[in-house]
Amino acid sequence: MEFLRKLGIEGTNHGTSTGQESLGDGSQQMIESATPIDGSHIAEVSVTTREQYDQVVTTAQDAFNEWRETPAPKRGEIVRQIGLKLREHKEDLGKLVTYEMGKILQEGLGEVQEMIDICDFAVGQSRQLYGKTMQSERPQHRMYEQWHPLGPTGIITAFNFPVAVWSWNAMIAAVCGDVMIWKPSEKVPLCAVAVQNIVSEVLRENDLPEGIFNLVTGDKEVGEWMTNDERLPLISATGSIRMGKQVAQTVGARLGKTILELGGNNAIIVSENADLEMAARATVFGSVGTCGQRCTTTRRLIVQDTIFEDFKNRLVQLYKGVKIGNPLNDDTLVGPLVDGKAAESMQQALTEVQDSGGELVYGGELLEGNNLEVEGGHYVQPAIVVAKHDYPIVQEETFAPILYLIKYSDLDEAIAMHNSVRQGLSSAMFTLNLREAETFLSTRGSDCGIANINVGTSGAEIGGAFGGEKETGGGRESGSDAWKAYMRRQTNTINWGKEMPLAQGIEFDVD
Ligand code: NAD
C-alpha cells in the first residue's frame, strides 16, 4: 500500500531504533500487526531483546550528553522541523493510525494534527523555560532557580492514541533537553515505527545523534525493564489503572519520578437548564467517538429527573443515525473495537449491568458479518443503559461504547454521584444557569483534572495541562506548565560580597 511505503514501512521492520536486529532469518522474535478493520495482516515488527534494550539506553545516555548542552531554542528548532515533516506526512500517518488502531479517518488525521499542534507549542516553550528570581535576606546575595533536563526519559504508551500521546511527552521533553526511549503499545507498533522514521530523518538532516529519540518494542516485559531501570530518572506511562499501579510501585521503589496518565470514568451532568440540543450532540461524540476507546470517553450521563425521559429518547434517536463500519469510509462515525477481547469485555459489562438491575435501552449488539461492508473486525452497536451510579460495573472503566444513564433530582446529589467513582480524569456539565455552572467548577464541584461547561468530556486542546486525579494517576502532560515535570529544579544562591553572613542571622564565628 502506497501510504505504508511513503512512511518507510516494510514487510518486516526494526522495532529497535539502533537497528541491530537481523530481520528475516528467524532469530528475532516478531510482533505481527493486523488491522482491526478486517483482521488482515499489515506487517511485522521485531521485539527488542534485553541486550538490544541495554544498547539503546547506552546510545540514549551518550546522546543526552550532547543534547543537554544544545541551547533550548536550538532544540526548539529541531522540534519545529519535526512539525514540518509531520505536516508533510499528515495524510499517510493519519491513515496508518486508522489502519492499525481502527479509529475513523477524521480522528486519525486529528491525532496527527495534535502532534503538529504540540510541536508548535513546544517551539514556543523552548524560549520560556523560566525560573524565578528570589529576594535574598542576606546583603549582596542573589537567589534564583533554574531548570535542568532530567536525562533519558521512558515513555510507555497505550494503544488508543498510538502517536499523539508520545508527542505530548516527547516534544515537550525534547525542548527541555531530555532524550526519549519510547515503548509503544504492542497492539500498534507500526505507528511508532513510522514516527521513528520521521524523527530520525530530521535528526540525520541536522547531524544530530539518533539517540535523542529512541524506540523499543515489546509487551509489558520491555516496559518493566524501563520501570526498573535506574538510568531512566523519569517514566511517563499512559494506560490502564492496573498498569499504572505496577509502574508507580516499581518506579517509586527506586525513588524515580513518574507521570501517570491512566483510565477515566468520565461523566456529564445534564441539568434541566441546559441547551439540550448541544448536550445531546456532545454526549454522542463523547460516548461513541473512537468506539468508546478514549480515556476521556463519556461513560456516565447524570441527567435531571425532569428531563430524563425526553433526553433519553433524544439520545436514542441520535444513536440510530450513527453509521458504523469501515473507519476509512468518509461517512463512518464508529469503527471497530481494537480486538476480540475488547468486544468480549463489552458483552460482559452489559450482562453484569443488567444482572444488577440496569435496563438496556439501545444497542449492544455485536455486528460481525452483520450488514457491514467489511468482515473480520469486531464491530459493535454502541449501547445506552439506564443504571444506578453505585452498580459495581458503573464504577469501572469498560473500554467500549457503553453509556450509563443515571437520574438525579438536585445538584448536590448529582455532584456526589459524579465524584463517587475512583477515577478522576474528565468531567462536564451542561447548563445555562450561572450558579449551577460555578458550583460544578467550585471546590465542592467536580473532583477531576478536567472540568468543562457546555463542552463534552473528550477532545481536549493541547494548550491546557492534560491529566486526572485519584486513580487516573495525577500526572499532567502537554500544555500549561506541564513541562516542569520533565526537568529538575535547582535553587542557586550567589554571594558577591566580602562577608559570609548566614541565613536566619545565625552567628558562627571561627577565628
Ligand atoms: P495497558 O495498560 O494495557 O497498556 C498500556 C501500555 O503499558 C502498553 O505499552 C503496555 O505494554 C504497557 N504495560 C502494561 N503493563 C505494564 C507494566 N507492568 N509495566 C510497564 N509497562 C506496562 O492499556 P491499553 O489497553 O493499551 O490502553 C487503554 C487504557 O489506557 C485505558 O485505561 C485508557 O483510559 C488509558 N489511557 C489513558 C490516557 C490518559 O491520558 N489518561 C490516555 C490514553 C489511554
Side-chain angles (χ1 to χ4, degrees), residues 301-485:
L301 198 70
I302 304 169
V303 186
Q304 197 152 18
D305 47 9
T306 47
I307 53 160
F308 190 86
E309 283 305 312
D310 173 42
F311 199 69
K312 180 181 81 182
N313 295 335
R314 204 186 267 251
L315 279 181
V316 169
Q317 270 320 105
L318 286 175
Y319 265 54
K320 283 183 181 160
V322 168
K323 173 98 169 58
I324 303 159
N326 188 333
L328 290 165
N329 292 349
D330 281 345
D331 59 346
T332 299
L333 292 180
V334 173
L337 284 168
V338 71
D339 55 24
K341 224 170 127 208
E344 234 170 72
S345 71
M346 178 172 176
Q347 293 311 304
Q348 272 168 12
L350 288 174
T351 306
E352 201 178 321
V353 72
Q354 290 177 91
D355 288 349
S356 296
E359 184 201 349
L360 178 68
V361 291
Y362 183 80
E365 240 182 276
L366 288 171
L367 298 176
E368 285 142 296
N370 201 347
N371 289 335
L372 292 172
E373 305 123 32
V374 279
E375 283 192 14
H378 299 276
Y379 293 83
V380 292
Q381 210 168 31
I384 301 177
V385 181
V386 175
K388 295 245 165 69
H389 82 283
D390 55 358
Y391 292 167
I393 194 69
V394 174
Q395 303 276 314
E396 301 298 323
E397 177 196 53
T398 302
F399 223 49
I402 304 176
L403 180 66
Y404 299 117
L405 298 194
I406 300 159
K407 203 181 277 183
Y408 82 88
S409 52
D410 71 72
L411 187 54
D412 286 343
E413 180 196 14
I415 291 173
M417 291 196 287
H418 176 277
N419 291 349
S420 70
V421 296
R422 294 189 308 280
Q423 311 83 348
L425 182 52
S426 186
S427 62
M429 178 163 191
F430 276 77
T431 180
L432 299 176
N433 178 302
L434 179 69
R435 283 196 183 129
E436 284 188 335
E438 291 292 339
T439 303
F440 182 70
L441 301 178
S442 76
T443 180
R444 66 181 165 100
S446 163
D447 61 1
C448 291
I450 296 166
N452 300 330
I453 298 294
N454 299 330
V455 171
T457 58
S458 80
E461 297 180 25
I462 58 99
F466 182 89
E469 300 301 325
K470 304 195 284 183
E471 285 193 357
T472 302
R476 291 296 185 277
E477 288 172 0
S478 200
S480 185
D481 63 353
W483 62 271
K484 290 180 175 170

Side-chain angles (χ1 to χ4, degrees), residues 157-160 183 186 238-240 246 261-263 295 397 466:
T157 54
F159 81 87
N160 64 327
K183 193 206 85 62
E186 55 276 33
T238 304
S240 58
Q246 290 167 358
E261 294 289 353
L262 312 175
C295 50
E397 177 196 53
F466 182 89

